[in-house]
Amino acid sequence: MIGQKIRSYRRKKGLSLSELSKQVDISKSYLSYIERNVKQNPSIEVLKKIAVVMDITVEELIEESMTGFYEEDQPLDEEWVGLIQEAIREGVSKEQFKDFQEYIRYKNWAKQKRENGGMESEQ
């Protein structure tokens, strides 16, 4: 979850992985690991550096909910609300939904890896 937040804030700021890694003084590969949740527990020092560059607090990075962040930028339209309600009525559990999200992330990652010839993407 922290990785997704960092990626979202980075993109919102218009920074590439390289630019943020230089400003934070960590390797691009380490930052990529954090964003992809391969490295799930970055040190508080790294989080502080990232927060400073992003002009946010560390608390904003580690909060469990991203509700406020997404509500500002991507409000749920009626179609999304309807799809979610339909899934709930049909018995889709939170765990199943999370599994589906993880599957989609994997498929997107695999597609990106194929398109980039196995190279990491800047964004």
Side-chain angles (χ1 to χ4, degrees):
M1 182 78 121
I2 289 174
Q4 292 171 316
K5 286 185 182 182
I6 292 170
R7 177 180 288 148
S8 294
Y9 281 113
R10 175 177 61 77
R11 288 179 174 170
K12 189 175 181 180
K13 283 278 210 186
L15 296 172
S16 69
L17 274 171
S18 295
E19 291 167 330
L20 181 57
S21 68
K22 286 177 187 171
Q23 290 183 34
V24 175
D25 194 29
I26 60 174
S27 72
K28 178 180 163 184
S29 61
Y30 182 66
L31 179 58
S32 176
Y33 287 155
I34 293 170
E35 285 192 359
R36 292 182 290 130
N37 292 316
V38 172
K39 174 71 174 162
Q40 295 185 358
N41 295 311
S43 73
I44 194 71
E45 292 306 313
V46 168
L47 293 177
K48 285 179 185 178
K49 290 178 180 181
I50 292 171
V52 167
V53 171
M54 297 294 160
D55 196 29
I56 58 174
T57 65
V58 173
E59 289 77 17
E60 288 176 271
L61 286 176
I62 60 176
E63 285 177 349
E64 282 298 313
S65 171
M66 289 182 70
T67 304
F69 183 79
Y70 281 121
E71 284 178 358
E72 287 177 19
D73 294 338
Q74 302 170 356
L76 289 178
D77 62 27
E78 289 182 33
E79 184 179 12
W80 273 112
V81 172
L83 288 168
I84 292 167
Q85 289 172 337
E86 183 179 343
I88 293 169
R89 277 193 305 274
E90 291 179 4
V92 175
S93 70
K94 290 178 186 176
E95 193 59 41
Q96 289 170 321
F97 187 78
K98 289 176 185 176
D99 289 344
F100 180 70
Q101 285 179 304
E102 196 60 37
Y103 171 75
I104 295 299
R105 281 189 205 104
Y106 168 76
K107 293 293 283 182
N108 289 338
W109 172 82
K111 179 182 176 190
Q112 186 177 34
K113 193 167 178 117
R114 276 192 314 274
E115 289 172 354
N116 294 325
M119 304 282 292
E120 288 183 22
S121 169
E122 275 283 310
Q123 299 220 28

